[in-house]
Amino acid sequence: MNDLIQTVAVYALPVLFAITLHEAAHAYAAKYFGDSTAYMLGRMSLNPIKHIDPFGTILIPILLYFSTGGAFLFGYAKPVPINFGQLRKPKRDMAWVALAGPAANFLMALLWLLVLIGLAAFQVQEDFFALMARAGILTNLVMFAFNLFPIPPLDGGRILTSLLPNKYAYKFAQIEPYGFFIVMALVLLKVLSFWMTPVMMIAQTVLQWMVKPLLLLLN
């Protein structure tokens, strides 16, 4: 129980920010490209409550934590409603709307990395804040890589659907009703790690390259 409380305390804010900005980014992108569905339903918001799914965001992660001893965690937020038919160029703009979520997570990972560098630069001794910053980096890199996996309804699946020729895009999109179960099976079989690990490593390398000038300046 103490481990759970400590884990929740460290990860609570990073996870809430990661989920909220990911979903809000989809909503902002959709409105920019012509679909106001999420905006009209109040989902173009930075209020975490608007995006939390009681079952997927709270209950499932807690049950998995206790049932697997913290070895396996999974959860999801309430998907932002998007009417792709309302986009100005539906097939093309679908990719940009889908990419907005992972892009928001990558940006947040960068911001948490800057916080971690700032804590070291100002010699902040409290470990809790450093742990939270590291949790923020990890959480957002995981969301970035996971959501880019090319199976609908994940963002990567929508991006791939957008890039495929119409004939193949239509057939590929038919996977969507089964996508969640396919992804869960790949997670349980530990196959998804073959995608997650290299994508996260690439993203982390890019982040380190981006902050390198700052590190050189501080040193």
Side-chain angles (χ1 to χ4, degrees), residues 191-204:
V191 175
L192 200 61
S193 61
F194 292 104
W195 166 271
M196 297 284 292
T197 301
V199 173
M200 289 176 65
M201 288 179 64
I202 291 170
Q204 190 171 22

Side-chain angles (χ1 to χ4, degrees), residues 57-68:
T57 314
I58 300 173
L59 184 59
I60 284 183
I62 290 175
L63 290 176
L64 286 174
Y65 182 89
F66 282 111
S67 62
T68 66

Side-chain angles (χ1 to χ4, degrees), residues 45-151:
S45 170
L46 297 180
N47 179 358
I49 297 174
K50 298 281 188 179
H51 306 290
I52 289 175
D53 182 288
F55 185 71
T57 314
I58 300 173
L59 184 59
I60 284 183
I62 290 175
L63 290 176
L64 286 174
Y65 182 89
F66 282 111
S67 62
T68 66
F72 175 68
L73 286 176
F74 180 80
Y76 54 87
K78 192 187 302 179
V80 166
I82 297 171
N83 184 348
F84 292 104
Q86 294 293 322
L87 300 173
R88 285 189 289 274
K89 293 186 177 180
K91 192 167 183 294
R92 183 203 67 181
D93 295 343
M94 178 197 304
W96 293 111
V97 173
L99 188 60
N105 289 124
F106 183 83
L107 178 60
M108 277 185 285
L110 175 60
L111 293 176
W112 280 113
L113 180 56
L114 291 174
V115 169
L116 187 62
I117 292 171
L119 290 172
F122 288 101
Q123 299 181 342
V124 177
Q125 299 299 319
E126 178 54 59
D127 290 340
F128 177 79
F129 297 112
L131 289 172
M132 181 179 288
R134 291 190 181 96
I137 296 168
L138 178 61
T139 297
N140 282 286
L141 287 179
V142 168
M143 286 191 66
F144 173 80
F146 179 77
N147 282 284
L148 283 178
F149 188 70
I151 289 288

Side-chain angles (χ1 to χ4, degrees), residues 12-41:
L13 280 179
V15 169
L16 280 177
F17 282 137
I19 289 173
T20 300
L21 292 180
H22 179 100
E23 297 300 334
H26 283 314
Y28 276 100
K31 188 172 187 296
Y32 178 82
F33 287 105
D35 175 34
S36 298
T37 304
Y39 173 75
M40 297 296 291
L41 293 174

